[in-house]
């Protein structure tokens, strides 16, 4: 596997090795020992799987606050999506900045998102599936969100004038300036 650091501290792009032939491919997408050898020692407690039937479905930007903050290991199981994170860690050198990555069934890339980031994605193909591991259980009382179109963050979702398909919750999310972020940057955080 190849692991690359991103400009946002703690956020890492992972490229699992694929072994392919005329039948398709095989890839090991999680191996506790292999990841621990790379300094990734997270106790995953929940796996989530989401299907978005229509291209330009946008979900996010979501987070869970402490004591149920979640790190995530995200990949695309089918189709193609643009995955986006925003650094919400007060004191971080990249606070309020975003990063975006194309994840697809074809490229097999994974994104390791530490706790303290808002996460969202927009689908590029019909019937796109996102699959991800979480380091804490779903706790609706700790849910938070940031507006996907916050001009101060300035995310380029690559929608090219297309209106995204949104939930009512995502449509009503506040701008980052209206969020009292519960996260603090720790330089040694994974």
């Amino acid at each position: 596997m190849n692991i690359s650091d991103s400009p946002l501290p703690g956020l890492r792009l992972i490229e699992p090795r694929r072994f392919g032939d005329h039948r398709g491919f095989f890839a090991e997408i999680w191996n506790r020992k292999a990841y621990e050898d790379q300094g990734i020692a997270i106790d995953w407690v929940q796996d989530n799987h989401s299907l978005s039937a229509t291209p330009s479905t946008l979900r996010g930007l979501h987070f869970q606050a402490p004591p149920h903050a979640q790190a995530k290991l995200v990949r695309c199981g089918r189709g193609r999506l643009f995955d986006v994170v925003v650094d919400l860690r007060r004191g971080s050198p990249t606070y309020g900045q975003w990063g975006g990555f194309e994840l697809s069934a074809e490229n097999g890339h994974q994104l390791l998102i530490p706790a303290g980031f808002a996460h969202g994605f927009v689908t590029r193909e019909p019937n796109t599936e996102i699959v991800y591991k979480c380091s804490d259980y779903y706790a609706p009382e700790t849910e938070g969100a940031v507006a996907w179109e916050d001009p101060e963050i300035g995310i380029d979702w690559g929608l090219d004038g297309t209106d995204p398909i949104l939930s009512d919750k995502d449509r009503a999310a506040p701008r980052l300036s209206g969020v009292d972020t519960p996260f603090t940057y720790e330089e040694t955080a994974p």
Side-chain angles (χ1 to χ4, degrees):
M1 106 181 91
N2 182 39
I3 300 179
S4 306
D5 290 325
S6 82
L8 303 175
L11 184 68
R12 301 170 89 182
L13 183 66
I14 300 168
E15 299 175 52
R17 290 183 61 200
R18 283 190 172 183
F19 303 93
D21 60 24
H22 66 281
R23 302 167 297 167
F25 71 85
F26 170 83
E28 188 175 83
I29 58 168
W30 171 250
N31 176 310
R32 181 183 302 271
K33 182 176 179 346
Y35 278 66
E36 284 177 351
D37 289 349
Q38 296 294 320
I40 301 169
I42 298 173
D43 182 22
W44 304 113
V45 299
Q46 180 175 315
D47 281 4
N48 296 332
H49 184 162
S50 169
L51 167 70
S52 296
T54 307
S56 300
T57 297
L58 195 151
R59 298 178 189 258
L61 298 158
H62 305 149
F63 63 90
Q64 276 192 189
H68 298 289
Q70 294 177 324
K72 296 177 181 175
L73 181 62
V74 178
R75 67 183 179 88
C76 180
R78 178 170 59 169
R80 187 167 58 95
L81 57 91
F82 184 62
D83 204 81
V84 173
V85 297
V86 176
D87 190 345
L88 300 181
R89 301 168 299 174
R90 204 177 273 127
S92 168
T94 57
Y95 176 79
Q97 294 180 26
W98 68 279
F101 303 84
E102 181 171 297
L103 304 180
S104 68
E106 185 177 326
N107 71 23
H109 295 173
Q110 298 176 311
L111 194 59
L112 177 66
I113 306 167
F117 283 80
H119 172 248
F121 63 91
V122 63
T123 59
R124 301 285 194 229
E125 296 180 3
N127 299 313
T128 292
E129 297 181 10
I130 186 169
V131 182
Y132 56 101
K133 296 183 169 305
C134 298
S135 64
D136 205 328
Y137 299 103
Y138 175 62
E141 70 277 8
T142 67
E143 281 185 307
V146 175
W148 68 274
E149 82 283 27
D150 186 333
E152 290 180 28
I153 300 171
I155 298 169
D156 180 0
W157 292 94
L159 290 166
D160 299 323
T162 302
D163 288 332
I165 299 167
L166 298 165
S167 70
D168 291 341
K169 175 178 128 179
D170 291 343
R171 196 178 316 280
R175 290 183 175 185
L176 181 58
S177 61
V179 173
D180 183 17
T181 182
F183 303 104
T184 303
Y185 176 69
E186 296 177 29
E187 199 162 339
T188 59

